[in-house]
């Protein structure tokens, strides 16, 4: 049957019921008809029907050809006509009997189908549109009496149906009604059910590219061009960031019980612990890495910062643990398991007023949008308007905020979004603080007896010791103005303070905060602050008290009332003195030390963190903006840590669950971006020798290096799996050789140089294929990592000394003796190698010449010829990787041809059968086959290219701070020791960098900063 006839038949059968069957081809009767098929419900089977048909044809009389074909017309000629038939003998008789019931059912179905087709409208036109043009009148559309009487009833039904279908529009759709405060607040509360908004969200949304991450809506980067401006602000002035999305867990209990259990989830080998004396007193902030209980160095949870509340004479202590939101759930689960905490019987809800209003009143407001300006409750009185969600108000009110241990009495409370956190970065951040904030004035009388405004402050001002403490804190805070940089303070210094409302001190126009050095030039107090830091008692703040924070949040003066007071001033623009009505806000200032590791740029990126009670976000944000600070987002925070050469959570923590999830999401996004490009514009990573361009296979890397170490037999003279076959030094463990193979390109006919990695036996290497549970394998999710990241400070300092750059004769030996480290010998590094066979090391790399490192760039070991060439030619940038052969190209082309063929077949047969199970399996097998990407399981990635792979870059770019290309990443500990052991004394720490989409290697200097 041709395509046109098939389409015609499909069009006929489109709206027909199942009982109606039309012939697939024209029938044997003249005009294309055929005998009616037996109904589906007939008692006789199809076989009986066919037998009867055959008997009728055989027993019937033979008709002459002339009866059906006119004179001079053959069968072939007759069949050429439209609707005709071709050949075949015709003999048909009426059936001898029929079953009445089944025959009537079949005819009834056909009659119903016909009636339905007649009653159903074939077009969307109305009744008056179906009339002839000479009978139409202009008013017919809204005046039914203008229609003929026979059509008026149908038109009336159509009009009623149209009224019901029309959506009920709200009475007020204008912008003025939508922008009313109560409607705005209800709409904003609705929009932050899935992703929580920070208090500065609306300010950011007007000026930033917003992204939805970790359950929050956050500012990613400014919409204006400000990349260099943000770097200048971090270097010379001040950059402001809102870190309120960071999560805070508060632990309350006896100090001994807390320290006993917290010691299980950290290690003194990595640096500080919770028991550090300076941090335990509450004077300094500490930072460390958490692990699962008694699992160090495996099962990493992530980095945290912690603050102890200063001792106040009570037996219980309070501890704040701050973490990235991607790490919160794992850490909370581990802390609950360590302290054996369970959910309390009575669920604690810190904000019952706002949550009940949100839950009960919000629906009513949404329903009444645009209908009523005032809503009433069941009693008829005016209901309280919906309040703006403050803090983590979007959380389920029946969700627990705190967990208590029945054995030790330790309480874990979730204070996320209850405490706001801003970060000021730059040398003049303390100048911004001193100009924006003013210490609160003393108050001994209550301003308003009806409200609880400043009640807590009046009670504290009656205590002479607390008044004296407040005065000492204020004096230290004023001394900050005489400092040139926050890095001059001891790292992690904490200063508690109570300040007045910063909105009162708002300048008329934006100014730039600058320090006053002449005022404190010869002040001994500033020098004493440099040397001794802030005393322990001055670290106390009322922000630790939840009742005081709640009082401060609820009794805040609104912007409307404040503007009304400004309007009543006799001299417009003069200072507004609120007197005893001015709010007193407890805050906590924490110094951020900036860059501490390495020799260059010490203290770069230092600043202050300011902790505030919730509800006061914009009241502090706008005054900071008016002091000339520049605001940064997530990208600026990433650059800040990149210039400090410190790992950024969760990007640079591949051994924790959050880091694995981040890598998986990044791979998905990069792969989708790669697929969106036209095939002709995509990089062929197989030809470039890049096995994994979108993800770093850390598990495969460490496993391959471990296999090379075991296969070598001895570390000092690395060789092939058969040590007797290789006598030269400098080969890799498996002695894989790169052979350049010349072959003609099938497309262009030109001779291309491709590279195959040939083992010592002369066959293509396929062993050491990654297992089913390896991190680098596609479509597999790991529950635990099969590698670790080395974070032992002692070992990292040893490695740092071994790979330190050498510029002159014997400078390296003097450096090692000065640091007290041991020289690199077999007895020293072999125990390290045996203890950590699958470990990664965090390194930073600086390019010697031009070049711009990118994400997932490969860190490789230079060959001996490369180092010789560099010694002879100082301008030598690096070698080039030979082009590889694409072994998947023919498979992709074959799959493409199969798809084209299948598509062509589908167009020919519209009603094709559904694909069978084997077809689905084959399509799933070739689903990941993409031209330019390695589709099979990864081979040995260390020896796939001409230069042995050492590690990968996780972040890289041109550094404005260093003036050259810089990169951060991880390398295999085994590979690093092998490279340092075999490199010449004057070339220690030299590596090669190659971006995924390039064949060019670049020389770089590898450093480990501790």
């Amino acid at each position: 049957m041709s395509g046109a006839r098939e389409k015609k038949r499909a069009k006929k059968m489109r709206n027909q019921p199942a009982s109606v069957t039309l012939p697939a081809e024209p029938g044997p009767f003249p005009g294309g008809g055929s005998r009616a098929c037996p109904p589906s419900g007939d008692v006789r089977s199809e076989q009986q029907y066919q037998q009867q048909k055959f008997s009728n044809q055989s027993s019937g009389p033979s008709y002459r050809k002339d009866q059906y074909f006119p004179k001079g017309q053959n069968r072939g000629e007759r069949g050429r006509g439209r609707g005709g038939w071709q050949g075949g003998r015709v003999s048909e008789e009426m059936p001898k009997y029929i079953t009445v019931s089944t025959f009537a059912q079949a005819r009834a179905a056909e009659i119903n189908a016909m009636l339905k087709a007649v009653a159903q409208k074939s077009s969307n036109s109305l009744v008056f549109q179906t009339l002839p043009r000479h009978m139409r009148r202009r008013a017919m559309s809204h005046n039914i009496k203008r229609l003929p009487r026979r059509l008026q009833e149908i038109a009336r039904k159509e009009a009623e149906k149209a009224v019901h279908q029309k959506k009920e529009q709200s009475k007020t759709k204008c912008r003025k009604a939508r922008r009313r405060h109560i409607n705005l607040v209800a709409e904003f509360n609705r929009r932050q059910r899935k992703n929580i908004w920070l208090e500065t969200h609306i300010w950011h949304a007007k000026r930033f590219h917003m992204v939805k991450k970790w359950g929050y809506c956050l500012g990613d980067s400014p919409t204006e061009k400000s990349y260099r401006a943000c770097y200048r602000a971090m270097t010379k002035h001040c950059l402001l960031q809102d870190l309120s999305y960071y999560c805070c867990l508060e632990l309350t209990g006896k100090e001994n019980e807390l320290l006993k259990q917290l010691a299980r989830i950290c290690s003194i080998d990595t640096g500080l612990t919770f028991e550090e004396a300076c941090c335990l007193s509450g004077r300094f902030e500490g930072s460390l890495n958490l692990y699962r209980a008694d699992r160090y160095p495996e099962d990493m949870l992530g980095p945290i910062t912690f603050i102890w509340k200063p001792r106040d004479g009570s037996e219980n202590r309070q501890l704040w643990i701050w973490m990235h939101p991607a790490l919160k759930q794992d850490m909370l689960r581990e802390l609950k398991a360590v302290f054996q905490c369970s959910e309390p019987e009575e669920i604690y809800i810190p904000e019952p007023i706002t949550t009940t209003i949100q839950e009960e009143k919000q629906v009513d407001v949404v329903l009444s949008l645009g209908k009523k300006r005032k809503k009433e409750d069941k009693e008829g009185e005016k209901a309280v308007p919906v309040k703006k969600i403050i803090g983590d108000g979007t959380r389920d009110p029946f969700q627990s905020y705190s967990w208590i241990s029945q054995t030790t009495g330790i309480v874990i409370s979730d204070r996320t979004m209850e405490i706001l956190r801003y970060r000021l970065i730059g040398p003049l951040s303390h100048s911004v603080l001193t100009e924006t904030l003013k210490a609160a004035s003393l108050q001994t009388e209550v301003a308003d007896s009806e409200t609880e405004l400043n009640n807590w402050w009046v009670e504290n001002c009656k205590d002479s010791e607390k008044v004296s403490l407040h005065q000492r804190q204020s004096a230290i805070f004023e001394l900050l103005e005489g400092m040139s940089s926050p890095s001059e303070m001891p790292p992690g210094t904490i200063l508690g303070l109570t300040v007045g409302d910063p909105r009162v001190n708002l300048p008329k126009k934006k100014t730039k905060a600058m320090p006053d050095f002449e005022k404190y030039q010869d002040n001994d107090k500033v020098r004493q602050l440099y040397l001794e830091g802030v005393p322990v008692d001055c670290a106390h703040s009322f922000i630790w008290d939840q009742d005081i924070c709640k009082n401060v949040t609820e009794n805040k003066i609104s912007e409307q009332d404040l503007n009304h007071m400004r309007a009543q001033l006799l001299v417009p623009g003069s200072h507004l003195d609120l007197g005893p009505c001015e709010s007193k806000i407890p805050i906590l200032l924490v110094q951020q030390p900036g860059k501490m590791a390495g020799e260059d740029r010490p203290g770069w990126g230092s600043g202050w963190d300011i902790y505030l009670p919730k509800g006061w976000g914009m009241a502090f944000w706008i005054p900071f903006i008016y002091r000339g600070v520049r605001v940064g987002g997530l990208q600026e925070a990433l650059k800040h840590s990149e210039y400090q050469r410190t790992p950024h959570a969760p990007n640079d923590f591949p051994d924790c669950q959050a880091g694995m999830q981040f890598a998986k999401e990044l791979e998905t996004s990069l792969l989708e971006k790669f697929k969106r490009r036209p095939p002709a514009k995509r990089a062929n990573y197989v030809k470039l020798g890049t096995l994994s361009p979108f993800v770093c296979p850390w598990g495969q890397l460490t496993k391959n290096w471990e296999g090379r170490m075991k296969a070598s037999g001895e570390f000092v003279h690395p060789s092939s799996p058969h040590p007797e076959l290789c006598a030269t030094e400098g080969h890799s463990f498996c002695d894989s050789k790169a052979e350049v193979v010349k072959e003609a390109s099938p497309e262009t006919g030109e001779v291309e140089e491709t590279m195959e990695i040939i083992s010592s036996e002369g066959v293509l290497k396929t062993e050491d294929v990654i297992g089913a549970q390896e991190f680098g394998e596609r479509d597999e999710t790991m529950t635990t990592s099969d590698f670790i990241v080395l974070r032992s400070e002692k070992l990292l300092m040893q490695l740092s000394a071994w790979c330190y750059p050498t510029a002159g004769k014997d400078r390296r030996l003097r450096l090692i003796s000065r640091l007290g480290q041991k020289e690199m010998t077999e007895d020293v590094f072999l125990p390290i190698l045996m203890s950590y066979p699958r470990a990664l090391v965090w390194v930073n790399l600086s390019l010697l010449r031009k070049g711009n490192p990118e994400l997932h760039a490969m860190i490789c070991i230079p060959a001996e010829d490369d180092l010789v060439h560099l010694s002879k030619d100082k301008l030598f940038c690096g070698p080039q990787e030979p082009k590889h052969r694409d072994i998947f190209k023919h498979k992709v082309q074959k799959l493409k041809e199969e798809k084209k063929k299948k598509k062509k077949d589908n167009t020919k047969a519209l009603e094709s059968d559904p694909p069978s199970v084997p077809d689905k399996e084959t399509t799933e097998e070739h689903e990941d086959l993409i031209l330019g990407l390695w589709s099979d399981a990864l081979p040995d990635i260390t020896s796939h290219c001409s230069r042995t792979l050492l590690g990968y870059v996780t972040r890289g770019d041109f550094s404005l701070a260093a003036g050259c290309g810089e990169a951060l990443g991880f390398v295999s500990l085994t590979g690093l020791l092998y490279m340092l052991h075999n490199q010449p004394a004057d070339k220690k720490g030299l590596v090669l960098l190659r971006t995924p989409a390039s064949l060019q290697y670049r020389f770089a200097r590898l450093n480990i900063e501790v």
Side-chain angles (χ1 to χ4, degrees), residues 443-554:
Q443 183 179 349
T444 56
E445 295 182 358
V446 180
D448 190 0
S449 58
E450 295 181 0
T451 63
E452 297 181 356
L453 178 65
N454 297 335
N455 282 358
W456 63 275
W457 182 242
V458 173
E459 293 177 1
N460 286 299
C461 286
K462 295 177 182 178
D463 190 345
S464 59
E465 292 183 2
K466 293 183 179 179
V467 170
S468 172
L469 175 62
H470 174 67
Q471 292 174 349
R472 292 199 303 275
Q473 289 175 337
S474 304
I476 292 175
F477 179 69
E478 292 176 0
L479 290 176
L480 296 178
E481 192 178 357
M483 293 188 174
S484 59
S485 174
S487 60
E488 297 176 355
M489 295 284 290
T493 299
I494 297 176
L495 175 63
L497 192 64
T498 303
V499 297
D501 196 334
R503 297 173 293 177
V504 176
N505 304 321
L506 206 64
K508 295 181 181 179
K509 60 181 182 179
K510 280 188 178 182
T511 59
K512 197 167 186 179
M514 299 299 291
D516 188 4
F517 296 115
E518 296 180 358
K519 185 178 179 181
Y520 300 96
Q521 191 171 5
D522 298 326
N523 199 332
D524 295 335
K525 294 182 179 179
V526 177
R527 296 195 195 96
Q528 185 180 1
L529 189 61
Y530 286 156
L531 299 174
E532 299 179 1
V534 178
V536 179
D537 54 349
C538 292
H540 178 270
S541 175
F542 293 106
I543 199 172
W544 290 93
D545 193 335
Q546 294 189 26
D547 295 332
I548 292 178
C549 289
K550 185 178 178 181
N551 185 308
V552 171
T553 301
E554 291 179 350

Side-chain angles (χ1 to χ4, degrees), residues 49 248 802:
Y49 169 74
C248 177
W802 286 342

Side-chain angles (χ1 to χ4, degrees), residues 135-187:
M135 294 182 65
R136 296 186 190 180
R137 298 294 181 268
R138 185 183 62 182
M140 281 182 177
S141 58
H142 58 83
N143 189 359
I144 298 176
K145 293 184 179 180
R146 290 272 184 179
L147 285 166
R149 288 183 180 177
R150 62 185 178 84
L151 301 177
Q152 287 183 7
E153 187 64 29
I154 303 174
R156 192 173 290 108
K157 292 180 180 178
E158 285 182 352
E160 292 176 359
K161 188 177 181 182
V163 169
H164 289 302
Q165 285 182 347
K166 185 179 282 188
K167 294 182 180 178
E168 185 179 356
Q169 297 182 353
S170 58
K171 296 180 181 178
T172 54
K173 277 227 169 183
C174 63
R175 176 177 171 82
K176 183 178 179 181
R178 285 185 280 113
R179 300 296 295 179
R180 285 186 188 128
H181 180 70
I182 187 170
N183 296 346
L184 265 184
V185 171
E187 176 66 12

Side-chain angles (χ1 to χ4, degrees), residues 594-603 644-646 1008-1010:
K595 191 176 185 300
M596 299 179 66
E599 296 182 351
D600 58 329
R601 297 179 286 115
Q644 289 188 96
R645 298 171 186 163
T646 55
I1008 299 174
E1009 295 184 348
V1010 187

Side-chain angles (χ1 to χ4, degrees), residues 94-348:
M94 293 292 291
K96 293 183 179 180
Y97 65 92
I98 60 171
T99 306
V100 178
S101 59
T102 55
F103 183 80
Q105 285 179 359
R107 302 294 80 72
E110 293 176 0
I111 293 170
N112 288 334
M114 181 181 66
L115 292 175
K116 185 179 180 182
V118 171
Q120 190 175 5
K121 288 177 62 177
S122 60
S123 64
N124 294 327
S125 57
L126 299 175
V127 174
F128 66 89
Q129 293 173 332
T130 59
L131 289 171
R133 292 190 178 275
H134 70 280
M135 294 182 65
R136 296 186 190 180
R137 298 294 181 268
R138 185 183 62 182
M140 281 182 177
S141 58
H142 58 83
N143 189 359
I144 298 176
K145 293 184 179 180
R146 290 272 184 179
L147 285 166
R149 288 183 180 177
R150 62 185 178 84
L151 301 177
Q152 287 183 7
E153 187 64 29
I154 303 174
R156 192 173 290 108
K157 292 180 180 178
E158 285 182 352
E160 292 176 359
K161 188 177 181 182
V163 169
H164 289 302
Q165 285 182 347
K166 185 179 282 188
K167 294 182 180 178
E168 185 179 356
Q169 297 182 353
S170 58
K171 296 180 181 178
T172 54
K173 277 227 169 183
C174 63
R175 176 177 171 82
K176 183 178 179 181
R178 285 185 280 113
R179 300 296 295 179
R180 285 186 188 128
H181 180 70
I182 187 170
N183 296 346
L184 265 184
V185 171
E187 176 66 12
F188 290 164
N189 290 349
R190 181 192 64 81
R191 284 165 59 185
Q192 55 179 315
R193 287 178 183 171
K194 291 184 179 179
N195 296 284
I196 302 171
W197 288 5
L198 306 184
E199 293 189 12
T200 58
H201 171 82
I202 296 177
W203 189 95
H204 277 92
K206 295 177 180 179
R207 299 164 179 87
F208 276 68
H209 298 287
M210 306 301 289
V211 293
K212 295 175 181 178
K213 281 188 174 182
W214 313 303
Y216 296 89
C217 201
L218 305 174
D220 189 48
S221 60
T223 52
E224 62 178 355
K225 292 183 179 179
S226 59
Y227 180 81
R228 289 178 178 268
C230 288
Y231 168 73
R232 285 195 297 268
M234 287 188 280
T235 307
K236 297 179 179 178
H237 193 251
C238 184
L239 182 82
L240 176 63
Q241 290 178 334
D242 190 354
L243 301 184
S244 302
Y245 62 92
Y246 266 65
C247 303
C248 177
L249 296 179
E250 183 182 87
L251 275 65
T252 308
K254 295 181 181 180
E255 181 179 322
N256 295 334
E257 293 290 340
L258 287 172
L259 293 176
K260 179 181 176 182
Q261 299 300 332
L262 289 173
R264 299 175 56 195
I265 58 176
C266 62
S267 174
I268 197 172
D269 193 27
T270 60
L272 292 177
T273 62
F274 290 100
E275 300 180 12
E276 192 69 29
C278 59
C279 300
L280 190 59
S281 62
R283 188 182 175 189
F284 296 100
E285 180 193 48
S287 60
L288 50 82
N289 295 310
L290 292 188
Y291 295 82
R292 296 201 183 275
D294 307 322
R295 292 287 296 166
Y296 172 82
E298 301 175 356
D299 293 341
M300 170 75 170
L301 290 176
I304 58 107
T305 58
F306 63 94
I307 301 175
W308 285 96
K309 181 184 177 182
R311 295 183 177 91
D312 53 1
S314 63
E315 188 179 8
N316 287 347
R317 295 292 304 274
Q318 280 179 262
L319 172 68
W320 280 355
I321 299 178
W322 288 86
M323 68 208 68
H324 193 274
L327 312 170
K328 176 185 172 183
Q329 294 302 324
D330 292 336
M331 291 191 178
L332 180 60
R333 195 180 302 112
E334 188 65 21
L335 288 173
K336 288 164 64 176
V338 166
F339 290 105
Q340 300 177 358
C341 293
S342 58
E343 296 184 7
E345 296 179 1
E346 297 182 1
I347 298 174
Y348 171 68

